[in-house]
Amino acid sequence: MANLIGKLPPLNGLRAFEVSARHLNFRLAAEELGVTQGAVAQHVRGLEAELGIALFERLPKSLALTGEGRAYIADIRRAFELIANATTKLRPQPVKLTVSTTPTFASKWLIPRLPDFRAKHPDLDLHILATDRISSFQSDGVDLAIRYGHPPFGTALAAELLFNQEIIPVCNPSLIAIGAEPHGGKALSQYTLLHDTHNFWPEYIDRFLGFSDPALFRSISFSQTSHAIEAAIAGQGIAMATLAFVSADIRAGRLRQVFDGILRAQSGFYCVRPRYRKSDAVDKLQDWMTSQP
């Protein structure tokens, strides 16, 4: 084996030959390898001199493999593939985790925070399964789920509170300026109320505003809370939104809280996982989530 390895031609020449054979152009090969066109041509000439055969025909604006070059490149590519596969097997592979969330939680809470997660845990790859359907830990391969409600979620499931739900009315600052908040049902009726499937407006109006029947107000309903939030950002009305989902938009000036009252729902958002399935990777993910502001 030692004698056989000693007969190998220069690896730089082999690499230059393989890339040049794919592009049939020394300039393009040089761009891929990050070297000069002259360096690529020199490596190939050196390999041809070592082998004692011509691998390419030099055409005015391109290259063409000779018969010997076509036969040689097939084996050289297989050899490089073997080296690449062997190297990949040696390197630790990222652990892949599937997180089940609602679409709104994914878009308004999780995705904006992913850069921080990637920086702290580069060894973990996330697959985000965003659906309103309750995913199965078994059939859907879910490792950690974010569930809205209150425990227990099942005897075989462990739950940890991520955050309590605090609901506030928000709108684009250009729609209602500070100090120009509507007082009384008639004033509020000049604005469109943006609803989602949770429909917190009736409870909020009754508890904090004391206005008339909320059914008398103009409204637009959305199947996703995130869509109601985006409509509010676009200045189309006032939305009831979870504070955790709009805090970044408020800080950025895209939204403002219209009225001071905060509606604290009985349900919250929880990290849920199989009680008896132990995983250091899931522990890291859950610890990161619960540490987020």
Side-chain angles (χ1 to χ4, degrees):
M1 180 61 71
N3 291 337
L4 185 60
I5 293 176
K7 296 178 182 179
L8 288 176
L11 292 179
N12 284 340
L14 291 174
R15 182 66 176 138
F17 167 58
E18 191 277 329
V19 177
S20 299
R22 275 192 282 111
H23 293 290
L24 293 178
N25 186 290
F26 284 150
R27 180 182 60 81
L28 295 177
E31 290 178 1
E32 179 175 331
L33 294 172
V35 297
T36 66
Q37 181 175 337
V40 173
Q42 183 177 355
H43 282 310
V44 172
R45 284 196 300 271
L47 178 61
E48 290 176 321
E50 176 82 14
L51 299 174
I53 58 173
L55 298 170
F56 292 108
E57 294 179 28
R58 274 69 169 176
L59 304 176
K61 294 186 178 180
S62 63
L63 302 170
L65 285 164
T66 63
E68 292 86 352
R70 285 192 296 272
Y72 195 43
I73 192 59
D75 288 334
I76 292 302
R77 282 179 177 153
R78 281 195 293 270
F80 277 126
E81 288 171 0
L82 286 172
I83 293 171
N85 290 336
T87 304
T88 299
K89 292 177 182 178
L90 284 177
R91 291 172 177 164
Q93 298 300 302
V95 177
K96 296 182 179 180
L97 297 175
T98 295
V99 183
S100 171
T101 78
T102 63
T104 295
F105 183 93
S107 64
K108 303 303 294 183
W109 193 93
L110 181 55
I111 292 174
R113 290 170 167 80
L114 285 182
D116 179 73
F117 177 79
R118 293 294 299 156
K120 292 177 179 176
H121 300 289
D123 56 325
L124 300 180
D125 282 354
L126 294 186
H127 170 59
I128 300 172
L129 183 61
T131 174
D132 286 320
R133 176 181 61 86
I134 296 179
S135 301
S136 167
F137 288 97
Q138 285 74 38
S139 60
D140 294 317
V142 172
D143 298 290
L144 184 70
I146 306 302
R147 297 275 173 84
Y148 171 70
H150 49 80
F153 293 96
T155 57
L157 300 176
E160 181 179 4
L161 179 66
L162 187 55
F163 56 82
N164 289 306
Q165 191 175 30
E166 297 178 321
I167 310 297
I168 60 173
V170 292
C171 73
N172 188 299
S174 66
L175 183 68
I176 302 175
I178 295 176
E181 293 82 6
H183 296 289
K186 183 176 180 180
L188 183 62
S189 68
Q190 302 303 307
Y191 299 95
T192 299
L193 305 186
L194 305 174
H195 297 264
D196 61 11
T197 54
H198 301 293
N199 195 21
F200 288 110
W201 267 116
E203 183 179 356
Y204 191 91
I205 288 174
D206 179 66
R207 182 177 300 184
F208 295 105
L209 305 179
F211 297 164
S212 57
D213 185 355
L216 301 177
F217 300 114
R218 294 181 298 172
S219 65
I220 302 176
S221 298
F222 299 89
S223 61
Q224 296 289 339
T225 303
S226 59
H227 297 164
I229 294 171
E230 291 304 316
I233 292 173
Q236 296 176 14
I238 311 171
M240 297 298 299
T242 299
L243 178 59
F245 293 161
V246 295
S247 56
D249 293 313
I250 292 174
R251 289 193 300 270
R254 292 185 290 268
L255 291 173
R256 63 166 294 241
Q257 183 173 344
V258 183
F259 304 110
D260 291 335
I262 298 176
L263 186 64
R264 291 177 171 82
Q266 295 182 348
S267 297
F269 287 83
Y270 289 81
C271 294
V272 181
R273 60 192 288 191
R275 187 179 301 277
Y276 301 109
R277 188 190 296 175
K278 303 301 181 182
S279 169
D280 290 339
V282 177
D283 289 344
K284 291 178 181 179
L285 174 59
Q286 184 169 332
D287 289 345
W288 172 80
M289 282 190 168
T290 55
S291 70
Q292 292 300 296

